[in-house]
Every structure is written in C-alpha cells, then in structure tokens.
Amino acid sequence: MAVRVFPELVTGRQDDLSSERWTIEAGRARRGEASCDFVERILQVPVGPSQADRLVRAHELMHVRVSPHDVSPVALYPDVVPRALACAEEFRVNYLVGLLGFDTQELCDGSERRSGEKVAENNDWAEAVYFYVAVLGTGGERPFLLGIGKQQPLWSKTLKVFGKQALAIVTSASASAVSSTQRSASVDAPEGYEQFTVCVARLVHRMAGAQAPENEADVRTLKRSMSPGARRPASGQPATLVFDSSLHYERYAGKVRSEHRRARTVSGTTPRHVERLLTDPYQRIFSRNIHRGSAVVIIDQSGSMDLDVEAVDALLTAAPGCVVIGYSHRPGDSGTQPNAWVVARGGLRASSIPTGNVGNGVDLPVLEWALRQRRNRSRVIWVTDGQVTDSHDHPCEAIARQCADLVRRHQIALCRDTSEASRLLRKGTLSRAKPQNMGRVGRFLTGRSGM
Amino acid sequence: MEFTVPQCWQDLELVEKAGIDRVILYGPPGTGKTHAALHRGSSWVERLICTEDLTAGEVTGAWIPVGDGKWSWQDGPALRAWRRGGRLVVDEVDRASGDVLSLLLAMTDTDGSAEWHHPTTGEVVRPVRGFNVVMTTNLEFLAELPDALIDRFPVAIRIDQPHPSGVLHLSPDLRAAAMSGSLPEAPRRVSLRMFTAFDRLRSTMDARQAAEILMGETNAESFLDSLKISTVGL
C-alpha cells in the first residue's frame, strides 16, 4: 500500500514559498529517481513503507523546507560549477536530516561502491570529489570510499580529510543558521544556502579542479590547500578560453599598413619588367600582388609580465593591421571572467585595453587559437616570459612542454616585451632570440628542462 | 507566528464590503466555508443543509401538527430569511434534489423578481432588503451545478485554505501545517478538523498513536515526518 506524502505540511520557511499543492510522483530509493521540482511543484519520491524509502522521502522533504525555490543558484553563483552547488546542497540537506534524528545510514542504494570503483578506474578525480560530498554523512559514504580506495588509495585518504573540512563548516554553526531560509542580505538566496551550501560548494569546486593526488606530497599539498585562506592547489590543466565580448573598436587613424609585396611571375596580362627578358633566367616579366597575412601577436598580460596598458597601446600603434590578442586568467575562475581579448584586428583596435587578471592560465589555448587565426603563413609573435601556468596559476611542466612544442613546430617568435615585438614587426627579424630567457618554455626549447 | 490571509479570504472580504448578496463558496472540505457563511457579515442567519431527502417544505415552510388535531403553518429557513432580511446559508447545495434545486432557483432569484405565494392564505412574500444568500459546496468544479442556479450567483470563490483565525485554537506547532493541509486533493488532504482532532488526541496520548488513529499506521509516520522536518532549526 502506497504511503501518503505530505509536502504541503512542511512549513517554517521564511522566504515566502507559495502555498500551492504538490504533485507526488512515485520514485524509487535510488540515485536519480527521487527529486524535488519547485518550478513544476512535483515531488518524486518512493512511496513504499521501507526505512530506505522513508529516508529518501525525508531527504526530499528537507529540500522543500530549506532549498532555494525561486532563484537559480547557478545564475547567482556563476563562479561555482553547477555540479558543485548541487552536491554541496545534497550534503547540507543530508546533514539537516541527520540532525532531526533520521538514520542517514539508510540513505544509500547499494551502488556507491561500484560507483567509487568506476570513478577511480576512469581517473575522474573531479567526479570523485562531487560524488563524495553528495554522500558524505550517509550510508553511501563508506562504500564509496572503499570503491575508490581499491583503485586509488591516495584519493580515498584525501577525500576523508576533505570530508572533515566540509563537516566542520556546518557543525561550527547552529542548526537554525544552517537551515535558515531568511533571504540573504547580499544575494537573493536563503541565508542557510548562501552561508553553508555555497561555502562548501566553493571548497568542492576548488578541490575538484585540483590535480588528482598521485603521491603523499600531493596529498599534503591538497590538505594544506583546504585550510581557509590557503592557496588553491594545482589543477594541472589550462583554463577554458573566454573572450571578452564587451570591447568596443575603432578604426586606426591613418593608413593601415598591409603586409603585401609584388612578386615577379612568368604569366600575366601586362609585362611590367621587360628588362627581365635579359636578366632573369626564368624571364619573369609579369608581376602580381602577394598578400601576406598580418602577423598575429599574443600578449601575456599576467602579473609576472608587469606590462602596462600603455605598452600594449604602443605595440598597437607600431603594428596596425596585425591581429593582437591579450590574455590573462584569474586563478580559479570557472569561466565567468573573460581571460582573453582581441585588441586589434582587421584595421580596428579596441578603444580601451583590458588589464590582466593576475594569472596566466590560458597560455596553451591562446596559442592554439592564434595559430588557427593566421593566414598565408603569417608570423605569430608571443610576448611572454615563458612562465606558463595552469588554471589555478600554478607552474605546470606539462603545459609548458606543450607550449614549447607549438613554438618549435610553428616557429612562433618569442619576445620578452612589447617593445621587442614592435621592433620585430618593424624590421621583420629578431635581433637575437634568447629562449633561455623564456622561463619554463625556454628551458624546454633549449633542452634544459631536465625532465 | 502571524499568517498572511490567503487570497481567497481577501477576495471574500472585498466581496462582502462591496455588498454582493449572492455568493458561492466552493472547494475542499474543512476550510471553514460554512463557518464563514454562518458567522461573517450578517446578524440573522438561516441555515439549510441540503441532502437528497430534503423536501421543498423544509425550504419554504410546511403545515405541522400542533396537537389536538390542529395544524399550524411554520415558515422554513428560506422564508424566515426573506422576512427578516437576513442571510440564507445553503450548505452542500450539490446534494440537493431536483425539486429543491428548482425551488432554490426561485428563492435565490434577484430581489425584484423573487416572490412567494402562501398556499392557503395567498399571502405574497417578497424578500426584505438585506436578504442575501451564501451557498457552499465541496465541488471542485461548479459546472456540475445547474447553469440557472450559478447564474444567480455572480461571485464564486474557491476557498482552499482555512482562514488564519480558524487555526488559532490549535497548538502553535500545528498552525502553519493546518493552513496548507487542505491544499492537496484527497486522500493527501489533511483538513482543519483532522488537525483539531490530532491536537486533542496527542494531549492525551503519544503523538504517534494519535496520528495512527487518524490516518492509519501506514501514513502516520509520513504525516509526523513532515511535521518534524518543519521544525528543523527551531
């Protein structure tokens, strides 16, 4: 016999949850088969009499009691990945269910151990972190860690430490604070969500974005990074390229120098160099225009470059007609802040040039993008100190090596600063390229990496 | 804790203030429709509870034996309300028989058109100024009532929540839940009457036992879990 479910009787919210009836849909006590949809007012829950069914019902009813209902957290917190927010909210809800005396050990569906094994087999550290937070404090926690530990014991060890850190966030506050549905003063979300779920989600986001621990030293680094105010752990990955689409462009004053030249040929309509009948063994008396694509200039505007906007501006003035792109990533940003900007292209230049965001983070993607932009073997110039970093602004040998490979393969010219790049554009050649001055990339180029 | 007065009750208040004298209150049971009809806005109230067995004589009046083989005419509630300019509350109108519904068409007609002739004296009775009618029904869709009857009632308000004043007699921890318990359809609906009973029962026994008496063993735990989850952080 189906158990009746009473979401309408769940009261106590302080943020005006409208009183409308809910539709109950029969779900199951399995991951993904129970849900709380505030928009459609549908509560999908198991309606069986077992304790597991009861716990899943209690979990979903707790969502009705405390979760944001009229705002999209994903829109409110674009700096945190949605999965981190969702999993952190699962954790808060499970914690509150446990506080009321429900046996949260019943919250498991038997799939957790296999899930742990699979995640570890796939080497998916981020998913391991997300899943772990979602089952933290429930009956699914231990089997999941066992599954993980079978393949990746260091992950299991790190996750346990991480779990303690997440628990400390909620246990340090009162139940009324954690469950508060008072509108937050700063954001249009319940205070409990804002102060605890988002706090845990940020930790999850940071941890999931880190490089998976491969040795004890990595575990220690990750542990240190969990402390409040600590530096983000290395991610080992470049960030995703996000272009600034808000820039306004204006035409260059005066004539834009185009990079084209005339070449002599053996065919044509009008002989222009008759003298070549005598002087040229191939008798190339005709000529035609050969357009050479404009140079593509990439400018690293990270903090270590110490470039000011005026220096970039001077480069633009020296090189009209070039494609010029600046880049700098804000460490840890998940795509909310642009980290690359096209400052000049096709005879247009940006009215104002953005300043950098401290970190590098996107060296590799920006090089790849620039190489796709060049036409007719146009030159690619990279203004950099060679200190490439990952999305969390940690030095990364793997990314540096890939950048060095691109530099070598595509003959990208390296310049230490914008004035050197200006000279290169004016004279056509570098006076003396010095890869040894180009940081980690330079070390790979000169074979001094020792790796 | 103070509750916002639900929209349906705000609407009723506006309708009363505007002097609308034909109103249908419909919606789920146990939300205080009849209570409101009986106790709000009119000093003289006559109540007519419709059933399939209700006769026309019980609406307008009938000759009744008064002893010694004598009979006396006694006005029914509708006629009494007419004569006094009071309120006629027609309860459970959807259960009335065809005869009674026909009679109600006449008795609830607009004041200018309505008149009733006494069967023996020939007296013509017309509603006195102030006469008003409130009909109540648990129907969810008014289309199930005759069109002509609905036409006489320009305002129909769906009452789906109790009035906040109606839950004040409950223990504080049950008031908010009682306000929204009537929202779902049966069998998930928990009426104000049920909350009242639960509140009384749990004062003499364990809450679990009280819930089991009212909802059965299967649903008692679910009912209590919902109430418990409401208390988180309190």
Side-chain angles (χ1 to χ4, degrees):
Chain A
M1 187 179 172
V3 174
R4 288 178 207 157
V5 189
F6 304 99
E8 292 84 2
L9 303 188
V10 175
T11 57
R13 291 193 72 118
Q14 298 143 296
D15 60 349
D16 307 325
L17 176 64
S18 64
S19 53
E20 287 170 38
R21 73 172 65 153
W22 286 80
T23 301
I24 306 296
E25 287 183 358
R28 286 199 288 182
R30 281 189 181 180
R31 208 162 297 285
E33 296 193 35
S35 60
C36 169
D37 180 347
F38 280 104
V39 178
E40 299 294 333
R41 285 261 171 178
I42 295 172
L43 195 73
Q44 187 191 23
V45 283
V47 291
S50 72
Q51 278 302 296
D53 289 345
R54 181 186 171 210
L55 258 292
V56 175
R57 282 195 296 272
H59 173 95
E60 296 305 330
L61 288 173
M62 188 59 82
H63 276 298
V64 174
R65 170 67 179 79
V66 301
S67 293
H69 66 91
D70 57 354
V71 289
S72 163
V74 177
L76 286 179
Y77 305 100
D79 58 317
V80 189
V81 294
R83 180 108 170 94
L85 285 168
C87 293
E89 180 65 347
E90 291 297 291
F91 164 64
R92 181 174 74 117
V93 164
N94 288 335
Y95 171 73
L96 290 171
V97 167
L99 276 189
L100 286 177
F102 289 94
D103 181 10
T104 50
Q105 288 305 304
E106 293 284 347
L107 276 173
C108 63
D109 64 2
S111 69
E112 289 82 2
R113 184 170 179 141
R114 182 66 198 123
S115 298
E117 288 171 4
K118 213 167 174 181
V119 165
E121 276 166 22
N122 293 338
N123 209 27
D124 192 346
W125 165 249
E127 184 52 30
V129 176
Y130 295 140
F131 199 109
Y132 178 66
V133 171
V135 297
L136 182 58
T138 70
E141 180 185 354
R142 197 176 138 75
F144 181 71
L145 283 179
L146 284 171
I148 289 270
K150 200 172 157 188
Q151 305 276 336
Q152 302 275 10
L154 286 175
W155 288 21
S156 174
K157 192 174 173 182
T158 313
L159 287 173
K160 276 184 196 167
V161 179
F162 174 61
K164 282 181 189 160
Q165 190 73 26
L167 267 172
I169 292 172
V170 288
T171 52
S172 64
S174 67
S176 67
V178 180
S179 64
S180 171
T181 48
Q182 196 84 256
R183 295 260 181 209
S184 163
S186 54
V187 184
D188 189 21
E191 268 180 1
Y193 187 89
E194 157 77 3
Q195 289 176 10
F196 299 95
T197 299
V198 176
C199 184
V200 172
R202 290 211 161 100
L203 194 62
V204 171
H205 175 75
R206 173 188 279 217
M207 199 48 50
Q211 208 165 1
E214 289 172 357
N215 49 49
E216 287 293 345
D218 288 349
V219 175
R220 284 195 295 276
T221 308
L222 281 172
K223 279 183 189 173
R224 276 199 302 276
S225 73
M226 291 175 209
S227 314
R231 194 183 175 202
R232 289 171 184 279
S235 72
Q237 300 284 330
T240 308
L241 208 54
V242 180
F243 280 95
D244 189 344
S245 55
S246 66
L247 295 185
H248 294 283
Y249 293 90
E250 57 193 31
R251 292 223 157 265
Y252 272 98
K255 191 178 177 187
V256 175
R257 190 182 69 185
S258 59
E259 288 200 21
H260 72 267
R261 65 187 175 88
R262 298 180 78 80
R264 319 304 165 206
T265 65
V266 293
S267 61
T269 53
T270 311
R272 294 193 183 277
H273 304 281
V274 185
E275 75 279 3
R276 282 182 175 259
L277 286 170
L278 302 173
T279 58
D280 187 348
Y282 296 98
Q283 298 185 324
R284 290 174 288 197
I285 60 171
F286 301 98
S287 72
R288 65 182 173 92
N289 284 332
I290 294 179
H291 288 276
R292 187 174 181 187
S294 305
V296 180
V297 183
I298 308 155
I299 306 173
D300 170 0
Q301 288 184 243
S302 66
S304 63
M305 288 295 288
D306 200 22
L307 285 181
D308 50 28
V309 170
E310 286 71 30
V312 180
D313 198 55
L315 174 69
L316 293 186
T317 309
C322 290
V323 176
V324 183
I325 170 174
Y327 74 93
S328 173
H329 176 72
R330 192 182 70 169
D333 184 73
S334 60
T336 57
Q337 192 163 336
N339 49 28
W341 35 89
V342 177
V343 287
R345 182 176 211 168
L348 297 171
R349 55 176 291 172
S351 318
S352 62
I353 300 162
T355 52
N357 299 318
V358 180
N360 285 52
V362 287
D363 309 83
L364 184 61
V366 87
L367 278 184
E368 290 167 342
W369 182 88
L371 288 168
R372 287 197 297 274
Q373 303 309 305
R374 70 174 183 173
R375 298 281 178 273
N376 301 330
R377 297 178 61 243
S378 59
R379 285 171 300 182
V380 176
I381 300 167
W382 184 15
V383 181
T384 180
D385 57 2
Q387 305 291 14
V388 303
T389 63
D390 65 16
S391 60
H392 290 180
D393 210 34
H394 281 262
C396 181
E397 296 292 327
I399 299 174
R401 186 185 291 116
Q402 290 178 70
C403 288
D405 285 349
L406 287 181
V407 168
R408 196 182 292 119
R409 199 181 319 141
H410 298 281
Q411 297 178 323
I412 296 171
L414 300 179
C415 294
R416 194 64 182 77
D417 52 39
T418 51
S419 57
E420 200 174 321
S422 299
R423 274 200 304 280
L424 175 59
L425 284 164
R426 263 199 318 273
K427 294 182 179 172
T429 51
L430 272 177
S431 54
R432 181 71 184 157
K434 297 184 181 71
Q436 62 269 33
N437 293 339
M438 293 295 175
R440 275 177 286 279
V441 173
R443 285 208 299 279
F444 281 109
L445 288 171
T446 54
R448 291 183 298 113
S449 67
M451 304 289 288
Chain B
M1 183 183 179
E2 284 189 15
F3 300 107
T4 313
V5 177
Q7 188 61 46
C8 53
W9 292 105
Q10 293 181 35
D11 291 347
L12 180 60
E13 198 168 328
L14 293 173
V15 164
E16 283 171 345
K17 274 187 188 163
I20 304 288
D21 54 9
R22 301 287 189 276
V23 179
I24 301 179
L25 302 180
Y26 69 105
T31 51
K33 296 183 295 293
T34 306
H35 185 272
L38 294 174
H39 300 284
R40 289 168 63 114
S42 204
S43 54
W44 185 270
V45 180
E46 292 289 345
R47 184 179 185 183
L48 191 64
I49 303 174
C50 297
T51 65
E52 291 83 349
D53 299 326
L54 185 76
T55 61
E58 289 169 284
V59 178
T60 49
W63 291 97
I64 56 166
V66 290
D68 297 335
K70 292 182 180 170
W71 293 73
S72 162
W73 173 264
Q74 189 164 348
D75 282 349
L79 215 51
R80 286 200 297 272
W82 269 29
R83 291 186 195 278
R84 290 196 174 246
R87 171 176 291 174
L88 176 64
V89 176
V90 184
D91 229 354
E92 314 279 359
V93 65
D94 53 297
R95 297 178 64 192
S97 64
D99 279 356
V100 171
L101 278 175
S102 303
L103 188 57
L104 283 175
L105 288 179
M107 301 306 288
T108 58
D109 208 348
T110 44
D111 292 355
S113 318
E115 60 177 36
W116 181 82
H117 296 260
H118 196 286
T120 49
T121 63
E123 178 195 6
V124 177
V125 184
R126 291 194 178 86
V128 171
R129 189 180 168 81
F131 170 72
N132 65 97
V133 189
V134 179
M135 286 202 313
T136 70
T137 171
N138 291 331
L139 289 176
E140 286 290 336
F141 303 101
L142 289 183
E144 294 172 38
L145 291 176
D147 288 345
L149 187 63
I150 294 173
D151 188 53
R152 282 158 170 72
F153 290 79
V155 173
I157 299 173
R158 184 172 189 277
I159 305 288
D160 57 4
Q161 281 185 280
H163 192 278
S165 62
V167 299
L168 288 179
H169 67 282
L170 292 173
S171 300
D173 64 317
L174 295 180
R175 289 175 190 167
M179 283 296 293
S180 50
S182 57
L183 286 171
E185 289 176 8
R188 290 201 304 109
R189 181 181 298 139
V190 187
S191 70
L192 182 54
R193 290 190 189 96
M194 198 173 269
F195 272 103
T196 308
F198 174 69
D199 204 14
R200 285 183 188 156
L201 281 170
R202 76 172 181 175
S203 66
T204 60
M205 62 180 78
D206 180 36
R208 165 99 192 202
Q209 203 181 343
E212 281 180 6
I213 289 172
L214 291 168
M215 321 206 142
E217 197 179 338
T218 319
N219 301 308
E221 193 171 53
S222 182
F223 171 73
L224 292 172
D225 283 351
S226 287
L227 297 180
K228 190 178 188 179
I229 284 163
S230 304
T231 65
V232 70
L234 298 179

